[in-house]
Amino acid sequence: MYTHTKQLRTYGKPLAETGKALLMIHGRGATAESILSLAEHLPVEEFTLLAPQATNHSWYPYSFMAPESQNQPALDSALALIHELVENILKQGISSRSIYFLGFSQGACLTSEYAARHAQRFGGLLIFTGGLIGQQVNTTNYTGNFDGTPVIITTGDPDPHVPVSRVEETVRILEEKGARVLKKIYKGRPHTILQEELDMASQLLIQSAE
């Protein structure tokens, strides 16, 4: 088992110049650089992009549907790393409304779990093929209210890693906590991000930033 060392890649203009942060959380086996490459397909010229790198290229060792204890201490370490990033952004005078998240696969699971544990009015959540973490979702971990935060959550049906039932449960919980959720389930879609998903993400980033 492992904890994460702080490794951060950034892209774009400085935060003091943009006033808007997009945190990009990569999937299992991937890199910060790989998730940052999505910037080529998104309207992020006026965002500062921040992508943490997981130790061992994985945020936690087992499936997100495994008992939470099996994924410790890596899971808590990953959540703490994101929290430190968010706190650092807030300390620079940036509102939580100007903080956006994008995650794919394992990174999407981590994104939804972190956001639910620290619910507030974020700029938006882009959850590409992921859901809340644990063998059973432990709602006692979740605090705050999203206060209308826009959320896009997508998955394939079936997906080899993410059951549609967990995505549905995640949508319900995020909505109960005040998020405005757009869910899209693609029949027979492979474990990837489609152009249509990027187009929806682009719309959210443009509308929320206006």
Side-chain angles (χ1 to χ4, degrees), residues 96-152:
S96 65
R97 288 174 169 265
S98 297
I99 299 175
Y100 298 71
F101 293 83
L102 182 155
F104 172 62
S105 192
Q106 194 187 52
C109 297
L110 196 60
T111 294
S112 57
E113 185 70 18
Y114 175 79
R117 292 187 185 208
H118 302 274
Q120 55 199 291
R121 181 54 164 91
F122 292 115
L125 308 178
L126 302 167
I127 302 169
F128 294 135
T129 311
L132 293 166
I133 294 173
Q135 188 172 27
Q136 280 86 39
V137 172
N138 182 3
T139 54
T140 63
N141 285 331
Y142 305 146
T143 61
N145 189 285
F146 284 114
D147 191 25
T149 296
V151 177
I152 293 172

Side-chain angles (χ1 to χ4, degrees), residues 63-74:
S63 164
F64 85 113
M65 300 286 289
E68 190 181 313
S69 60
Q70 288 185 12
N71 278 316
Q72 298 297 6

Side-chain angles (χ1 to χ4, degrees), residues 174-193:
L174 296 182
E175 286 181 337
E176 284 173 358
K177 294 186 69 60
R180 292 187 292 111
V181 183
L182 172 60
K183 175 190 71 181
K184 195 85 177 185
I185 296 173
Y186 296 92
K187 288 284 183 187
R189 191 211 65 184
H191 192 70
T192 188
I193 301 173

